[in-house]
Amino acid sequence: MSGVALVAVALLTVVGGTLSNANAKNSKKLERHPGVGIGVGNLPPDRIDDVLRAAHAEGIRLVDTAAASNNEHIIAATNKELDPPMSVETKVWYTHLGYNRTIMSVEASRKGLNVAKINIVLIHWPRCNDDIPWMNCEQEENALPEEVKAAGPAPHLAGSDDEKPWRGSWRALEELHKQGKVGGIGVSNFDVNEMNELISMATVRPHFAQNSVWSYFFDKPLIELLKEHGVFYQAYSVMNAFLPQFHMDNFPRGSPEWERVTSAVFAVSGFGDALESEGFPHMSESELLIAYLTANGVGIIPRSGNHAHIASNAKAAGALDALPADRLEDLGHLLDEWLRATHKQPKQSPHNGDEDL
């Protein structure tokens, strides 16, 4: 069994999900890739039902959302009509860091999703940070219901001598996991130092870590740490890291920057042409990226409201599993150069992803 297949089996075991009774053409293939999901965190509420049904028809069996997105009840309404239902991954917002607040958040999510057990719950952010423009720590704290404020101290006011609120949240997730109310537990947007601290204090190792795809390419210490401890890596903003910043109009034609971006894009495209001549399916640059990530055992959760893009993402998952390791590494170097050519990290949205693939 391949490494990717082993990851898939482990993932299903943790979340308690299922990929049985899948009827769509791609479903049998995607049974090997349960980490390929659909993100709905930033989707307009009236689009979610349609997107989930389109993803389900393509064999996608994981939906990623967050408590802060206020759409868990919509997911629940659609999911009860799907066979099999999709596994759900949700997250605890930074206003609910701390043991008691996290318990309240997860219980609210269980109610919203109408389930006894949530497949996956992550800590969305390790803290609120007013240096990030869209984070409004004091304002969000003041807007909370009184019962949440009474459940524990405001996490953004924790001092240097206080316990980090996310540590209390982790203890809460461990307890909920042991009680069978949550399947997999993990974190999102943690850096390598925070992950080291988490792994050192955890009595239940984190099952999942979710970060921008940028981290997969450029934060090697983090990725190596996750591999060492068997933490499943999920990438969000899968295409935001590449496409929005690389349209040729962003650079003066003929400039060194324009030349570098052009060369990087053409190199990836040329690699795809070579693969096609060897019998692999035709793939666009974005499909090559998805195929590369899934072949390396990375979960992806692109957000899309476009049926054609959802189908394209599903088609790409697993398309390069048979590619020899050295060729896969060559593709990785080309994708690395493509990302470096943009000169800056992708933006991070409040709900992990702001793309339309």
Side-chain angles (χ1 to χ4, degrees):
M1 183 178 289
S2 71
V4 176
L6 287 170
V7 168
V9 170
L11 177 59
L12 281 178
T13 301
V14 168
V15 305
T18 176
L19 297 180
S20 62
N21 302 320
N23 297 316
K25 180 179 179 181
N26 283 333
S27 296
K28 290 186 180 298
K29 178 179 71 176
L30 288 181
E31 287 178 8
R32 296 183 292 109
H33 293 281
V36 178
I38 183 78
V40 299
N42 289 339
L43 281 178
D46 61 357
R47 296 284 294 118
I48 293 174
D49 177 81
D50 175 68
V51 165
L52 291 183
R53 293 179 189 276
H56 192 273
E58 294 295 338
I60 294 173
R61 296 292 181 263
L62 175 68
V63 55
D64 178 84
T65 189
S69 297
N70 296 313
N71 60 20
E72 292 167 330
H73 62 291
I74 302 174
I75 294 170
T78 300
N79 219 13
K80 70 180 181 181
E81 299 179 3
L82 300 178
D83 181 24
M86 299 178 81
S87 295
V88 180
E89 178 174 42
T90 192
K91 307 179 193 74
V92 176
W93 196 236
Y94 51 69
T95 54
H96 286 65
L97 293 175
Y99 183 90
N100 289 328
R101 288 193 181 197
T102 292
I103 295 289
M104 293 183 70
S105 176
V106 175
E107 290 300 335
S109 290
R110 287 206 307 147
K111 181 178 180 181
L113 291 168
N114 193 27
V115 294
K117 178 180 180 179
I118 304 175
N119 300 108
I120 307 170
V121 178
L122 310 182
I123 298 172
H124 206 152
W125 292 86
R127 71 190 61 79
C128 182
N129 183 352
D130 277 320
D131 291 335
I132 298 177
W134 52 261
M135 287 188 176
N136 300 293
C137 306
E138 191 69 26
Q139 180 179 341
E140 291 184 66
E141 175 68 24
N142 291 338
L144 291 174
E146 290 303 318
E147 59 266 28
V148 176
K149 296 178 184 177
H156 73 288
L157 297 180
S160 58
D161 294 332
D162 298 323
E163 180 185 58
K164 296 173 183 176
W166 66 257
R167 293 173 65 99
S169 292
W170 187 256
R171 291 199 303 274
L173 292 186
E174 289 181 325
E175 184 64 26
L176 291 163
H177 172 75
K178 292 172 183 177
Q179 292 173 0
K181 295 180 178 180
V182 173
I185 57 177
V187 296
S188 178
N189 301 303
F190 273 45
D191 63 26
V192 65
N193 294 325
E194 290 155 346
M195 281 303 308
N196 261 314
E197 183 176 348
L198 170 59
I199 291 168
S200 296
M201 56 113 19
T203 61
V204 177
R205 71 165 174 82
H207 304 115
F208 300 88
Q210 189 180 107
N211 280 65
S212 165
V213 71
W214 179 277
S215 297
Y216 182 76
F217 283 94
F218 298 129
D219 193 350
K220 296 303 182 184
L222 173 62
I223 300 305
E224 290 305 315
L225 178 68
L226 299 178
K227 289 180 179 178
E228 178 185 351
H229 292 277
V231 182
F232 186 79
Y233 185 80
Q234 294 178 307
Y236 69 83
S237 287
V238 176
M239 293 310 298
N240 260 6
F242 291 82
L243 296 180
Q245 296 160 17
F246 292 75
H247 296 299
M248 302 310 172
D249 292 343
N250 288 354
F251 306 100
R253 188 176 184 86
S255 67
E257 294 84 359
W258 187 91
E259 295 288 352
R260 185 181 183 192
V261 172
T262 302
S263 175
V265 174
F266 285 171
V268 173
S269 178
F271 193 95
D273 291 341
L275 289 175
E276 189 174 357
S277 70
E278 298 168 21
F280 286 89
H282 173 76
M283 284 180 279
S284 66
E285 290 84 359
S286 60
E287 289 170 338
L288 283 167
L289 171 62
I290 288 173
Y292 170 79
L293 291 170
T294 56
N296 278 285
V298 176
I300 60 166
I301 46 171
R303 190 203 77 164
S304 180
N306 183 300
H307 285 207
H309 293 172
I310 293 170
S312 170
N313 297 341
K315 182 188 81 170
L320 294 181
D321 283 3
L323 191 68
D326 59 336
R327 299 287 307 287
L328 196 63
E329 185 176 356
D330 289 341
L331 176 57
H333 291 318
L334 296 177
L335 292 168
D336 180 295
E337 177 57 26
W338 186 6
L339 187 51
R340 289 183 189 277
T342 65
H343 301 292
K344 60 179 180 178
Q345 294 190 32
K347 68 176 183 177
Q348 290 182 335
S349 78
H351 308 309
N352 290 16
D354 188 28
E355 56 195 346
D356 189 17
L357 302 195

